[in-house]
Amino acid sequence: MNALNFEIPPGTAVAVALPDVLPAVKPRRGFIGLIRRYPTLAFGSAILLIMLFIAVFAPVLWTLDPTAIATSRRTREPSLLYWFGTDMLGRDIYSRVLYGARVSLIVGFAVATLASVVGLAIGLISGFVRMADSVIMRTMDGVMSIPPILLAVALMALTRGSIGNVIAAITIAEIPRVARLVRSVVLSLREQPYVDAAIAAGTRTPQIILKHILPNTLAPLIVQASYICASAMITEAILSFIGAGIPPATPSWGNIMAEGRALWQVKFYIVLFPAVFLSLTVLAVNLLGDGLRDMLDPRMAKSV
Amino acid sequence: MLLYVLKRLLTTIPVMAIVALFVFSLLYLAPGDPAAVIAGDQATTAEIEKIRQSLGLDRPFIIRFAEWGVQILHGDLGQSLFANMPVRTMISERLEPTLSLLVVTLVLAIFIAVPMGVIAAWKAGTFVDRAIMAFGVFGFSVPVFVTAYLLAYVFALRLDWLPVQGYTPISGGLLPWFANLVLPAIALGCVYIALIARTTRATMLEVLQQDYIRTARAKGLALPGILFVHALKNAAVPIVTVIGLGIALLIGGAVVTESVFAIPGLGRLTVDAILRRDYPVIQGVVLLFSFVFVLVNLAVDLVYTLVDPRIRY
């Protein structure tokens, strides 16, 4: 018998009863779901992971000593023996390019981290301490009106070329942007009702900063940090390329291109390989940044 | 309006002072003792001390900074440590190539990027939009010297359409001048084009949703007129802002582009100065570019009133 309690003539097609509750539309969770929703994020991280792998395992990836000079094998074209060819001093470019990933990644991550931390501190102080605000912001304006690459170049001229100095120089040039971003977020958060409520409830300022302001600055800060990482990698390469960066013997993509500069019209491969690796890595970081922005800050994603 | 210009000029003074302080500290902190250099190897400590006093190098930082500031205001940027020439002369000799490069890049970039952004916004979500936005990401990611080498390799070396390197002064004919600048300008402009196109698209997307755009369409106005007159005018403020801010990118990129294309401009001067640690020259170039950048941003603020009459000061 059926539920309605009447006879169904034989031979009639009967629709299958619908379940009381339709199954919920389940967005795919976990790893694959994440890749589907944020393809740029996934693609960027994938390339970046490969670069990280290359950087860490450079010594075992069929490389030679990247600083070994051998005049007998100068400027060889790419071949089975020297995959990316050799430079003017006979150094193996494949090895130098792989080791060069280390410099780029270290500089990128170090600058992104340092600039974010210092910029965050400056931005928080500027947003909360009224007295300091105008002095800090005018200083930041001053630093920002020196084009970042020129500022880094000028700072590098003061010291000798080393990876630590390059990181410091680029960090100083990037700090104002972070500080401004954090300050603007802080100023808009301070107007939020929940912050008023916290103040009314007698919460102390450090608590407010730590519990209410800081967590909300993190999303835009992380997105900004990834863009800073990308631009730091480019700036490092530029500094090394014009001879104001990492010491020339150290394999870095900028240095390899600098060595290829004199010969680029005849030996284009010397500049080509580091150029491709550098561009790919920066692209990966930028895609990661775009993906993070879409994920963490949907409002911003819509407008840009 | 005039009052606003004056006010705005006044606010640039502290910014410029901070830039000047920064740049002066650079020379102050620079390793090496000019007095010892001038005195030579044979000099005794007393002799060096005497030269130091005669140069005023023993006086406090603030006083030296003030004196240096007065010098700068008189247009005196000091003497090069190597070329035995005033820095001002060195800079003015190299000014034309860099200025040409920057202006050509600026014009090319604006004429390429703005229509790109407008079309991307109009065709939002389609293949055309995606292609333009993909170019935007690439433009941001490929460093200027990579684009420079690739362009030079393909269009100058392989196809032989344009000169590979060098610079022809504008007095040597407009066409050779331009031919030498096309590749460097496109290479340098890539990041800038990406930046402007992205901003243009974002603002245009908002503007195109406004009622007056629908009205204009309903009236039957031609599409190009709507996009490039009605809409673009109302989207102009953020675009002009980013064009101004992006000049910093151009200035930094010019240093590299000039090295790749062997253009004897300020960028090359900077690179040579770094390699020789010629601090007064580095100082002069940084100071000049920073002041230019501050003035550009001032100009941008004033252009607002031209593109958007609703803004009044």
Side-chain angles (χ1 to χ4, degrees):
Chain A
M1 287 312 270
N2 58 42
L4 292 176
N5 220 0
F6 65 88
E7 290 284 311
I8 294 171
T12 321
V14 178
V16 182
L18 284 170
D20 287 346
V21 181
L22 286 171
V25 182
K26 248 201 279 180
R28 270 194 99 146
R29 296 192 164 273
F31 191 61
I32 294 178
L34 203 68
I35 292 178
R36 282 229 179 130
R37 261 176 300 156
Y38 305 108
T40 55
L41 184 75
F43 189 64
S45 345
I47 301 179
L48 209 57
L49 280 178
I50 295 173
M51 288 299 166
L52 202 62
F53 178 84
I54 288 176
V56 173
F57 294 103
V60 293
L61 290 171
W62 308 279
T63 52
L64 309 169
D65 179 358
T67 52
I69 294 171
T71 43
S72 58
R73 45 161 217 239
R74 293 190 318 183
T75 60
R76 297 274 178 85
E77 300 274 333
S79 64
L80 275 180
L81 197 55
Y82 305 110
W83 293 352
F84 292 178
T86 59
D87 67 8
M88 274 164 88
L89 299 171
R91 289 172 298 195
D92 180 39
I93 293 176
Y94 172 74
S95 312
R96 288 180 72 73
V97 167
L98 258 58
Y99 277 93
R102 293 183 170 182
V103 171
S104 260
L105 291 178
I106 290 173
V107 170
F109 290 127
V111 171
T113 316
L114 286 173
S116 302
V117 172
V118 180
L120 178 67
I122 295 177
L124 284 176
I125 294 172
S126 191
F128 264 93
V129 187
R130 282 258 157 259
M131 302 240 296
D133 186 37
S134 66
V135 174
I136 292 178
M137 281 313 99
R138 288 300 81 74
T139 312
M140 293 294 135
D141 284 350
V143 178
M144 265 174 100
S145 48
I146 306 175
I149 291 176
L150 276 188
L151 180 55
V153 159
L155 289 170
M156 283 312 293
L158 280 184
T159 51
R160 64 201 164 74
S162 76
I163 200 162
N165 289 337
V166 168
I167 291 171
I170 306 175
T171 303
I172 291 174
E174 295 284 357
I175 285 174
R177 263 157 278 271
V178 185
R180 290 203 126 204
L181 173 80
V182 173
R183 174 178 174 271
S184 73
V185 174
V186 169
L187 288 184
S188 73
L189 286 176
R190 278 179 60 150
E191 306 298 317
Q192 296 290 319
Y194 67 83
V195 176
D196 282 343
I199 295 171
T203 319
R204 279 197 222 101
T205 312
Q207 279 288 316
I208 292 178
I209 295 179
L210 219 61
K211 288 266 165 69
H212 298 291
I213 305 284
L214 200 57
N216 285 305
T217 57
L218 283 184
L221 193 62
I222 289 172
V223 175
Q224 179 80 1
S226 64
Y227 294 137
I228 287 178
C229 177
S231 94
M233 285 171 170
I234 294 183
T235 311
E236 181 275 319
I238 287 177
L239 288 178
S240 300
F241 180 72
I242 63 178
I246 316 276
T250 314
S252 101
W253 292 332
N255 274 340
I256 306 171
M257 293 185 72
E259 281 142 25
R261 190 163 61 175
L263 287 176
W264 74 270
Q265 297 191 24
V266 274
K267 306 281 181 191
F268 193 61
Y269 61 88
I270 302 181
V271 291
L272 181 68
F273 290 110
V276 169
F277 272 72
L278 175 63
S279 308
L280 256 182
T281 313
V282 176
L283 178 69
V285 179
N286 274 332
L287 289 177
L288 187 73
D290 285 353
L292 285 173
R293 186 195 60 205
D294 296 347
M295 195 163 85
L296 300 173
D297 203 346
R299 246 176 317 168
M300 196 162 122
K302 240 189 218 162
S303 65
V304 182
Chain B
M1 181 69 196
L2 192 70
L3 197 71
Y4 173 77
V5 176
L6 285 176
K7 250 196 205 158
R8 188 66 184 69
L9 265 174
L10 280 177
T11 58
T12 61
I13 291 175
V15 173
M16 291 212 186
I18 286 163
V19 173
L21 183 67
F22 217 86
V23 172
F24 178 74
S25 316
L26 175 73
L27 189 70
Y28 190 82
L29 295 171
D33 185 351
V37 174
I38 292 168
D41 296 337
Q42 307 289 314
T44 62
T45 331
E47 280 170 338
I48 294 175
E49 192 53 41
K50 212 171 152 193
I51 293 174
R52 188 173 291 139
Q53 273 173 15
S54 73
L55 287 173
L57 294 176
D58 56 339
R59 283 171 304 156
F61 178 84
I62 296 289
I63 292 176
R64 285 183 58 194
F65 175 56
E67 274 186 2
W68 178 80
V70 171
Q71 252 185 44
I72 294 296
L73 289 177
H74 283 100
D76 178 8
L77 292 169
Q79 198 82 8
S80 158
L81 293 181
F82 290 86
N84 199 21
M85 229 198 263
V87 174
R88 193 168 73 165
T89 320
M90 291 174 84
I91 287 180
S92 60
E93 276 172 3
R94 308 283 197 115
L95 201 57
E96 191 206 300
T98 304
L99 211 60
S100 307
L101 177 63
L102 290 179
V103 170
V104 172
T105 310
L106 198 69
V107 173
L108 272 183
I110 292 172
F111 276 99
I112 295 172
V114 173
M116 261 171 74
V118 170
I119 291 166
W122 177 246
K123 298 272 178 194
T126 64
F127 173 75
V128 180
D129 176 34
R130 292 225 187 104
I132 291 176
M133 283 301 97
F135 168 80
V137 179
F138 275 94
F140 263 127
S141 306
V142 183
V144 52
F145 48 152
V146 176
T147 351
Y149 275 127
L150 284 178
L151 286 174
Y153 187 74
V154 174
F155 292 102
L157 272 188
R158 291 279 135 183
L159 297 173
D160 204 16
W161 287 356
L162 292 159
V164 181
Q165 283 181 322
Y167 174 77
T168 316
I170 207 162
S171 54
L174 214 56
L175 206 64
W177 170 79
F178 189 68
N180 261 315
L181 284 175
V182 173
L183 289 180
I186 294 175
L188 178 57
C190 253
V191 187
Y192 198 48
I193 291 172
L195 186 72
I196 299 172
R198 277 171 85 144
T199 314
T200 307
R201 177 180 177 271
T203 10
M204 282 294 282
L205 275 181
E206 253 169 59
V207 171
L208 287 177
Q209 286 170 359
Q210 303 291 321
D211 288 342
Y212 55 80
I213 298 294
R214 198 183 331 142
T215 311
R217 301 252 310 142
K219 281 198 302 188
L221 285 187
L223 191 59
I226 297 174
L227 287 181
F228 287 93
V229 180
H230 281 70
L232 195 58
K233 247 186 156 175
N234 285 287
V237 169
I239 300 173
V240 172
T241 310
V242 88
I243 289 173
L245 288 176
I247 301 251
L249 280 176
L250 287 192
I251 291 172
V255 176
V256 184
T257 316
E258 287 180 11
S259 303
V260 173
F261 288 99
I263 297 171
L266 288 176
R268 280 294 298 271
L269 183 67
T270 317
V271 173
D272 293 345
I274 293 162
L275 296 179
R276 291 188 303 199
R277 311 252 145 172
D278 198 341
Y279 295 105
V281 176
I282 302 176
Q283 209 179 26
V285 176
V286 174
L287 202 62
L288 175 76
F289 275 139
S290 308
F291 280 8
V292 167
F293 186 49
V294 171
L295 290 179
V296 164
N297 281 318
L298 176 68
V300 163
D301 274 7
L302 301 181
V303 168
Y304 286 164
T305 51
L306 294 181
V307 297
D308 193 343
R310 282 172 302 186
I311 297 177
R312 279 176 201 284
Y313 298 111

